[in-house]
Amino acid sequence: MMLRGFTTVTFFADDMAAATAWYTKVFGIEPYFNKEDAYIEWRVGDYQHEFGLLDSRFAPHQPAGRPAGAVIYWAVDDVEAAYQRLLALGAEPHEKPTERGPGYVTASVTDPFGNILGVMFNQHYLDVCAGNGFTA
């Protein structure tokens, strides 16, 4: 078995119309896929990764006391600017910008729908992009 990379990340929302409008502002593009307003999807970034938004009634449930979900970090050139922009759009602080080591800075917010959205400057990501012919 060979893992070839992530294809789609899915977040959940109770108010799909509000979440669709918010993420359309965040990404600066319209979604390319809409399945009966229950699942909305955008293609974002250097590799056109898929970001999906699914109505919360279809969200997986964990037994009480067990964490659910994951934090995805989007590559950005300026973590502080991205963090401040997300806050200005209505997100709440989750973790302020923090240097994790040389070439790695992360921050995260909680979107208006309860999902944690991370942003990261990651030198390794830029190196991979350069190796694949993309420029920063």
Side-chain angles (χ1 to χ4, degrees):
M1 177 176 89
M2 181 175 150
L3 299 177
R4 299 189 55 156
F6 293 102
T7 59
T8 304
V9 172
T10 303
F11 277 15
F12 303 94
D14 291 328
D15 184 340
M16 289 294 289
T20 300
W22 195 80
Y23 274 101
T24 296
K25 284 182 189 174
V26 168
F27 299 141
I29 57 171
E30 294 291 324
Y32 79 95
F33 183 82
N34 183 334
K35 179 72 171 176
E36 302 168 3
D37 293 323
Y39 181 75
I40 313 290
E41 197 168 86
W42 293 259
R43 288 196 175 124
V44 181
D46 297 322
Y47 293 99
Q48 296 292 290
H49 293 297
E50 293 174 351
F51 178 90
L53 194 60
L54 182 63
D55 190 301
S56 291
R57 39 188 185 150
F58 304 112
H61 297 283
Q62 293 285 343
R66 295 194 56 202
V71 178
I72 180 168
Y73 288 91
W74 290 90
V76 297
D77 294 326
D78 184 334
V79 171
E80 181 66 36
Y83 178 74
Q84 292 302 325
R85 180 173 178 267
L86 292 168
L87 295 178
L89 288 171
E92 295 292 325
H94 180 262
E95 185 176 62
K96 64 181 179 157
T98 303
E99 185 172 343
R100 303 294 180 185
Y104 300 93
V105 179
T106 67
S108 58
V109 299
T110 303
D111 75 11
F113 317 98
N115 301 291
I116 299 173
L117 175 65
V119 291
M120 172 188 271
F121 177 84
N122 180 329
Q123 187 58 51
H124 175 74
Y125 179 88
L126 295 177
D127 295 344
V128 169
C129 284
N132 287 317
F134 288 102
T135 58

